[in-house]
Amino acid sequence: MGDGPPAWSPASAQAASLLEEAAELLVLQRDFAAALERCEAGCGSLGPAPGPDSCTEVKCSLCVVGIQALAEMNRWREVLSWVLQYYHRPEHLPPKILELCILLYSKVREPQVMLEVGSSWLKDQTNKSLPEYGSLLELYLLHVLLPLGRFEGAEELVYSCDVLDSEQKLAFVETICEKRCQWTQQEEMHSDHDEQEDKATETVLGALSQKLLTMLTLLRRTLRSMSSHFYLLPYKKMLLATFLLYLVVVRLDP
């Protein structure tokens, strides 16, 4: 007997069939909800326990299609929790799934979602032996830690990583220093802009306060001068004078 590929289990065959249906629904029919249902059915049929390589690949592919379907339906906030219900722990995520999640939450400007997940995955000893480890570490630095201003954490991660050689560590440290300088410059620009806005606001408020004080002084003088003549004015003329004063002082100068 020749050495052929191992026969798939019934669960793997069923999951592969559902994967084919989900891909067709996603790409050709653009029925994202139905595609997501097929992915959930396929992942559920494989169970939580890790299987042979064929099962692992099918499960990963099902999750990739499911992530795309959720993103197409603008349900990207559910992606991480949806994936973790099939892999249970962050360090068990396949490299491709982790990469997609990091890029997705970076694109929607919520990299903090992947902060703990990426850290747990990178600290796992089993994952450090994977060929994708270095590229995922770089992705985590550039799209999660540095955009959040976690420069000390980024340096600590690089220095403590025994997978990287000295040249790789030096390159990462230079990138971190460059991003730190850019972050500092942006903070200074924002600080100067806020200070200018505060000064402008103080100037406007000061002018308004001075104007209001002037109007109140004018109103007080007008009322004082009118009070001595109120007893000489008929009742209707007094109402007319009061109304005209209201128009001049209040209505014409908000």
Side-chain angles (χ1 to χ4, degrees):
M1 295 179 63
D3 293 334
W8 281 13
S9 66
S12 299
Q14 180 184 1
S17 176
L18 290 169
L19 171 61
E20 184 177 354
E21 293 180 20
E24 181 178 352
L25 288 167
L26 176 72
V27 178
L28 300 180
Q29 302 182 27
R30 308 290 288 176
D31 190 346
F32 307 125
L36 181 64
E37 290 179 0
R38 301 297 192 282
C39 294
E40 292 174 340
C43 290
S45 67
L46 293 175
D53 292 341
S54 58
C55 293
T56 303
E57 293 177 1
V58 172
K59 186 175 182 179
C60 178
S61 299
L62 284 166
C63 286
V64 169
V65 175
I67 290 172
Q68 183 64 32
L70 286 170
E72 293 286 354
M73 292 187 291
N74 200 27
R75 293 169 55 185
W76 50 266
R77 291 183 177 86
E78 305 173 31
V79 165
L80 184 60
S81 59
W82 183 83
V83 169
L84 287 177
Q85 70 178 326
Y86 300 115
Y87 289 98
H88 303 288
R89 299 180 62 179
E91 54 269 27
H92 293 165
L93 292 175
K96 185 62 178 178
I97 300 298
L98 181 65
E99 177 184 355
L100 285 177
C101 290
I102 290 176
L103 292 175
L104 173 64
Y105 285 101
S106 173
K107 184 177 181 180
V108 297
R109 298 183 178 181
E110 292 196 7
Q112 69 278 1
V113 175
M114 297 301 300
L115 191 60
E116 296 298 329
V117 174
S119 176
S120 298
W121 194 94
L122 291 170
K123 290 179 180 178
D124 186 77
Q125 292 298 324
T126 303
N127 293 332
K128 290 183 178 181
S129 61
L130 298 175
E132 301 91 347
Y133 184 85
S135 60
L136 285 174
L137 186 145
E138 181 178 5
L139 199 70
Y140 181 70
L141 286 174
L142 296 179
H143 294 277
V144 180
L145 290 182
L146 299 185
L148 294 174
R150 303 294 186 95
F151 303 109
E152 292 79 6
E155 291 176 347
E156 181 181 354
L157 178 63
V158 170
Y159 285 129
S160 62
C161 182
D162 51 4
V163 176
L164 303 175
D165 57 33
S166 57
E167 293 184 359
Q168 291 174 320
K169 289 184 178 182
L170 180 60
F172 280 132
V173 170
E174 289 178 351
T175 301
I176 294 170
C177 292
E178 180 181 351
K179 295 296 182 180
R180 190 199 298 267
C181 292
Q182 294 176 1
W183 179 282
T184 303
Q185 292 175 356
Q186 291 176 357
E187 288 293 317
E188 291 176 352
M189 291 176 59
H190 288 313
S191 178
D192 293 341
H193 180 68
D194 293 341
E195 184 177 352
Q196 292 176 359
E197 286 187 347
D198 292 340
K199 289 182 179 179
T201 303
E202 291 176 0
T203 302
V204 172
L205 291 177
L208 290 176
S209 300
Q210 184 63 33
K211 191 173 184 179
L212 179 60
L213 181 61
T214 303
M215 294 303 301
L216 290 177
T217 303
L218 176 61
L219 177 62
R220 185 182 63 181
R221 291 177 180 175
T222 305
L223 292 176
R224 182 178 298 174
S225 62
M226 290 180 62
S227 62
S228 59
H229 301 286
F230 276 167
Y231 68 94
L232 299 176
L233 294 175
Y235 179 71
K236 290 184 179 180
K237 290 184 178 180
M238 184 178 68
L239 290 179
L240 178 59
T242 303
F243 178 68
L244 291 176
L245 180 65
Y246 164 77
L247 288 179
V248 173
V249 175
V250 180
R251 298 289 294 176
L252 298 183
D253 194 345

